[in-house]
Amino acid sequence: MDKDKFNQLPGVQQNAYLKRQWTKSRIEEAISYLKENNLPVTAMAIVHETGLSKATVYRYRELIGNENLRNYTKFQNTFAPQIKPLDTTSTAQISS
């Protein structure tokens, strides 16, 4: 951001901007550290290194890369009740 534009922002917006930049730099530093030490670059590893919350780290997914974020859809069927399809080949009839 241009310094002149930055100085025109109200105080609250300046603070929010600075905080976002600080968070971004912390995540980038953690990614660099993990890569230098041949560790997997995952959201949880970044959370552990930075002390930021998982929600905060996930907001910066463009830095981490989607391939390193947990894909919750692959666990979707694990907790869903298992429903068996109806057997339409059976010739048995229900008597009433």
Side-chain angles (χ1 to χ4, degrees):
M1 178 177 278
D2 190 309
K3 188 169 178 129
D4 292 331
K5 287 184 181 180
F6 179 75
N7 288 332
Q8 293 173 0
L9 292 175
V12 173
Q13 289 177 333
Q14 283 183 359
N15 188 38
Y17 175 79
L18 291 173
K19 189 171 183 179
R20 280 191 304 272
Q21 293 304 314
W22 178 82
T23 302
K24 186 176 177 180
S25 68
R26 292 282 309 255
I27 291 173
E28 288 171 341
E29 289 171 8
I31 291 170
S32 296
Y33 172 80
L34 293 168
K35 285 182 179 179
E36 288 170 5
N37 292 300
N38 293 324
L39 297 170
V41 179
T42 63
M44 290 310 297
I46 294 170
V47 166
H48 179 71
E49 291 299 321
T50 61
L52 298 170
S53 72
K54 193 165 41 168
T56 300
V57 171
Y58 273 81
R59 277 189 214 113
Y60 292 85
R61 68 181 70 230
E62 71 277 356
L63 297 175
I64 304 166
N66 286 333
E67 68 277 358
N68 296 321
L69 296 176
R70 187 174 180 181
N71 185 1
Y72 289 103
T73 57
K74 64 183 168 183
F75 299 109
Q76 187 174 18
N77 294 331
T78 304
F79 301 109
Q82 300 297 322
I83 300 173
K84 295 181 182 177
L86 293 175
D87 183 12
T88 57
T89 60
S90 176
T91 56
Q93 294 186 359
I94 299 175
S95 61
S96 48

